[in-house]
């Protein structure tokens, strides 16, 4: 092992430019993969934040009694897809409309908006099929006049998520394969540069394991240094984007 460490160190001293090129190649290969991971992670988080706004709103009729409202709320709370149920009175609906649509404030001055029951859905149950199933069940309840959930918007969101997932898998695989090819080519160049040395070691009876060990140690050290540089470059890119463009999340320890 001591001989292997000494040979790996001597190899770097004899050809520092080749060693630095190998480290830089690994670093930039992993950096490109890290940038892709950064983009994919933040797209996933952005879609998750948008999905949190998916809700089903059941509008109650003017003739709905307090008992019917209570039964509607109780039924909705029993749905496995539902995370929370909120009753919105006519007054609260009017306040929301004035606050969120300030430019149409005069329109709502004398308006009377119907009360409603809002359903917030659990993660994993915000796709078009689950939302539609909850909406259909709500329509069948006594006292419910209409149910809205933005069907077209939910379908488009599901389509965007499907396309983003497929594109992410394809591009991620392409970046990973490219990184492996570049890293493999770098290792092959290093081996070819020492072909004569390897031949001489074989002539004096060195085993394959004895010959490989310095290369393995050299590759391990180069990979660790290149990986650390790639991580620093990815963090620096993330910091620049955060400061000058938009707030994004850095790669978590486990994505």
């Amino acid at each position: 092992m001591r001989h292997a460490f000494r040979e790996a160190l001597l190899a770097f001293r004899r050809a520092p430019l080749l060693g630095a090129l190998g480290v830089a190649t690994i670093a930039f290969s992993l950096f490109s993969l890290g940038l892709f991971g950064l983009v994919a992670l933040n797209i996933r988080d952005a879609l998750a934040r948008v999905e949190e706004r998916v809700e089903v709103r059941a509008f109650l009729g003017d003739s709905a009694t307090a008992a019917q409202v209570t039964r509607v709320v109780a039924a909705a709370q029993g749905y496995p897809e539902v995370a929370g149920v909120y009753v919105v009175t006519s007054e609260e609906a009017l306040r929301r409309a004035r606050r969120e649509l300030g430019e149409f404030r005069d329109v709502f001055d004398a308006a009377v908006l119907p009360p409603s029951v809002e359903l917030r859905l659990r993660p994993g149950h915000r796709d078009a099929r689950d939302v539609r199933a909850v909406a259909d069940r709500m329509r069948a309840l006594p006292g419910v006049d209409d149910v809205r959930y933005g069907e077209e918007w939910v379908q488009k969101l599901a389509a965007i998520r499907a396309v983003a997932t497929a594109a992410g898998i394809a591009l991620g695989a392409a970046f990973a394969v490219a990184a492996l090819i570049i890293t493999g080519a770098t290792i092959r160049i290093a081996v070819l540069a020492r072909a004569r040395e390897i031949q001489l070691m074989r002539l004096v009876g060195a085993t394959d394991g004895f010959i490989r060990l310095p290369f393995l140690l050299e590759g391990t050290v180069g990979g660790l240094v290149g990986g650390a540089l790639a991580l620093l470059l990815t963090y620096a890119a993330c910091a620049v984007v955060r400061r000058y463009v938009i707030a994004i999340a850095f790669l978590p320890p486990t994505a």
Side-chain angles (χ1 to χ4, degrees), residues 122-252:
R122 298 180 187 275
H125 295 285
R126 294 167 179 162
D127 57 277
R129 184 182 61 182
D130 286 344
V131 176
R132 188 185 303 111
V134 172
D136 291 341
R137 276 178 274 171
M138 291 297 294
R139 285 192 183 95
L141 295 175
V144 175
D145 265 8
D146 191 16
V147 177
R148 300 291 178 89
Y149 62 91
E151 181 176 5
E152 184 178 354
W153 178 75
V154 171
Q155 290 175 347
K156 287 182 178 180
L157 181 61
I160 291 172
R161 172 172 280 281
V163 171
T165 301
I169 293 174
L171 290 174
F175 274 103
V177 170
L180 287 174
I181 291 174
I182 293 172
T183 304
T186 303
I187 295 173
R188 183 173 179 81
I189 291 172
V191 173
L192 291 176
R194 297 169 61 183
R196 176 172 293 184
E197 178 184 344
I198 294 172
Q199 186 177 7
L200 290 175
M201 293 177 71
R202 286 186 182 279
L203 290 175
V204 297
T207 63
D208 289 342
F210 185 84
I211 295 173
R212 288 194 191 105
L213 190 55
F215 286 99
L216 292 174
L217 291 174
E218 187 178 347
T220 300
V221 173
L224 291 174
V225 175
L229 287 175
L231 186 62
L232 289 174
L233 289 172
T234 305
Y235 183 80
C238 180
V240 170
V241 174
R242 279 178 181 170
R243 182 167 183 177
Y244 296 105
V245 184
I246 190 174
I248 60 174
F250 188 62
L251 298 173

Side-chain angles (χ1 to χ4, degrees), residues 60-138:
L60 304 173
D62 295 334
S63 60
T65 64
Q68 286 178 325
V69 174
T70 301
R71 283 195 292 269
V72 169
V73 172
Q77 288 174 337
Y79 297 161
E81 302 92 342
V82 175
V85 181
Y86 308 91
V87 177
V88 180
T89 63
S90 297
E91 293 77 11
E92 175 63 21
L94 186 58
R95 283 196 296 270
R96 285 188 183 183
R98 288 172 175 170
R99 182 176 63 251
E100 297 174 3
L101 301 172
E103 62 271 26
F104 300 107
R105 186 179 183 88
D106 295 340
V107 177
F108 296 107
D109 281 344
V112 177
L113 299 179
S116 62
V117 176
E118 291 183 359
L119 280 63
R120 304 289 172 83
L121 304 180
R122 298 180 187 275
H125 295 285
R126 294 167 179 162
D127 57 277
R129 184 182 61 182
D130 286 344
V131 176
R132 188 185 303 111
V134 172
D136 291 341
R137 276 178 274 171
M138 291 297 294

